[in-house]
Amino acid sequence: VGFLMIAAVTLSISDLSQAAAFGDQALTQILKQRLGETQGTTIVALIAGAMWLCGLATMTSASRMVYAFARDGGLPFSKVWAKVGSHQTPANAIWGLAVFATLLALSVSVYSAVVSIATIALYLSYGLPIAARLWAKKTGKDQVRGPWSLGKFSTPISIVAVLWVIFITVLFVLPPNTQAGIVMGICFAALVAIWFLFVRKSFRGPKLNQ
């Protein structure tokens, strides 16, 4: 649905140079030009609402992931992030992640770079486990399958998925989103440092049957 919407908006552009001049406001201005001020603003408001809900869903899942890693000793200061508040929610993990996300957004001056960072990080969160699975199969460590698998299609689909993640990562750091590449590079270096300096010896994976 999102692709169809973007395609429709793109095909409705009457002046490409003018659309390019709008910069980060291109979608908003094009909708207002083609649909009128009232309808265009309404559509933009609906899109903003959908983005807000996506943000809430992302914060919910990401904060629980922070909590889960902290609970199993997989993060620096794990006891802080694994603390559950009076409402039975990981409040420290939620607020810590919110502050981190805000600082990340403020670290770039171009809105499209913020979108690129979010997209790259999301794809990497999918790609890393898939790549790890491929590596485990290659080294003979992957002996146990889950209750459901893709069978003989598992490996080729996993390879395509990893290649797609690499492609989309490169695509989203091309100009004008070079800031996204710099920020992601810094974050990646920080995560590698955290892994080797703090977590590698203490974290052995999720603790089962707790």
Side-chain angles (χ1 to χ4, degrees):
V1 173
F3 172 77
L4 293 176
M5 184 193 73
I6 294 298
V9 173
T10 302
L11 292 173
S12 71
I13 296 174
S14 58
D15 188 337
L16 290 177
S17 58
Q18 182 189 44
F22 287 143
D24 287 339
Q25 300 298 319
L27 179 63
T28 300
Q29 295 301 323
I30 293 167
L31 285 172
K32 289 182 179 180
Q33 281 185 343
R34 308 307 294 178
L35 299 176
E37 187 72 22
T38 301
Q39 292 184 354
T41 302
T42 301
I43 296 297
V44 171
L46 290 173
I47 294 173
M51 292 174 67
W52 173 258
L53 292 175
C54 287
L56 288 179
T58 301
M59 280 295 299
T60 300
S61 60
S63 62
R64 270 58 179 181
M65 192 179 300
V66 169
Y67 162 77
F69 273 102
R71 177 198 59 198
D72 298 334
L75 291 175
F77 310 108
S78 287
K79 291 183 179 180
V80 175
W81 311 122
K83 186 177 180 181
V84 177
S86 58
H87 297 288
Q88 298 302 306
T89 57
N92 290 347
I94 294 171
W95 284 110
L97 188 64
V99 171
F100 175 75
T102 301
L103 293 175
L104 200 62
L106 294 176
S107 66
V108 295
S109 58
V110 182
Y111 173 73
S112 57
V114 177
V115 177
S116 294
I117 291 171
T119 304
I120 293 170
L122 181 64
Y123 272 101
L124 289 178
S125 71
Y126 295 145
L128 288 174
I130 298 173
R133 168 87 180 203
L134 286 172
W135 178 255
K137 292 182 70 173
K138 181 180 179 180
T139 56
K141 297 179 180 179
D142 180 32
Q143 303 294 332
V144 181
R145 288 186 179 272
W148 185 87
S149 75
L150 293 170
K152 64 180 181 180
F153 298 105
S154 177
T155 297
I157 290 178
S158 296
I159 292 173
V160 171
V162 172
L163 291 176
W164 173 253
V165 170
I166 294 172
F167 169 76
I168 206 72
T169 300
V170 173
L171 183 67
F172 271 86
V173 298
L174 294 176
N177 299 322
T178 51
Q179 287 184 341
I182 295 172
V183 172
M184 288 303 301
I186 294 173
C187 289
F188 179 76
L191 289 173
V192 171
I194 290 172
W195 169 254
F196 282 102
L197 295 177
F198 300 103
V199 180
R200 187 180 184 186
K201 294 182 179 179
S202 61
F203 182 60
R204 298 299 179 185
K207 299 175 183 179
L208 304 178
N209 300 322
Q210 295 193 87

